[in-house]
Every structure is written in structure tokens, then in C-alpha cells.
Amino acid sequence: MRTDTNTNVSAVEIQEDLRELYIERALAEIEGLGSDPGYMADLLDDIESHKSAFTGAVVTEIATLRAELGGMLRG
């Protein structure tokens, strides 16, 4: 997962990180860490943060593409 503070991360990059977090959660369950409330809470917080960031990035990318294709809205 990315640990840099770059705010210009694409939706694809966030989605990749989110997939890695889901894999980490599955592995944690397999390895018995699912019963560690602190670890699981942090992991679930990371997942939720990435889901929110992914949604925001997708909406921004769609709006940017729409603006590039259609120009300024009038009316």
C-alpha cells in the first residue's frame, strides 16, 4: 500500500490499494488476527477511508472527463 502523501492519486491506484486491504483482511482472518480488536478496527478504518477516497476520485475523474469533452455548462 502507498504510504506517500501524494494527493493526486488516481481512482485506479486507490482501487489497487483497496484490493490489497481486502487481501490483508482475509489473511488476517486466516492467521487468527481476526480476534485482535485493535488490529481489525485499524484495518477496517483503512478500508472505509479508501472506499471514500475511491468514490471521491471516481466522481472527480468523471467530472473532469465530462468537462474536457463537453466544455463549460451554460444555462
Side-chain angles (χ1 to χ4, degrees):
M1 284 169 277
R2 275 172 257 305
T3 57
D4 61 10
T5 57
N6 182 1
T7 57
N8 295 320
V9 181
S10 73
V12 171
E13 292 170 315
I14 297 169
Q15 186 179 37
E16 289 171 1
D17 288 348
L18 190 54
R19 283 188 184 126
E20 289 177 15
L21 287 168
Y22 283 127
I23 291 168
E24 183 178 345
R25 183 179 69 181
L27 290 173
E29 292 288 339
I30 290 169
E31 295 296 325
L33 291 171
S35 61
D36 182 337
Y39 177 78
M40 292 307 289
D42 286 346
L43 184 54
L44 293 176
D45 285 346
D46 285 347
I47 289 171
E48 288 304 315
S49 294
H50 278 74
K51 286 167 65 174
S52 294
F54 177 68
T55 301
V58 168
V59 169
T60 300
E61 289 178 16
I62 291 170
T64 301
L65 178 60
R66 192 251 159 255
E68 290 171 355
L69 294 175
M72 207 166 122
L73 292 177
R74 300 182 192 271

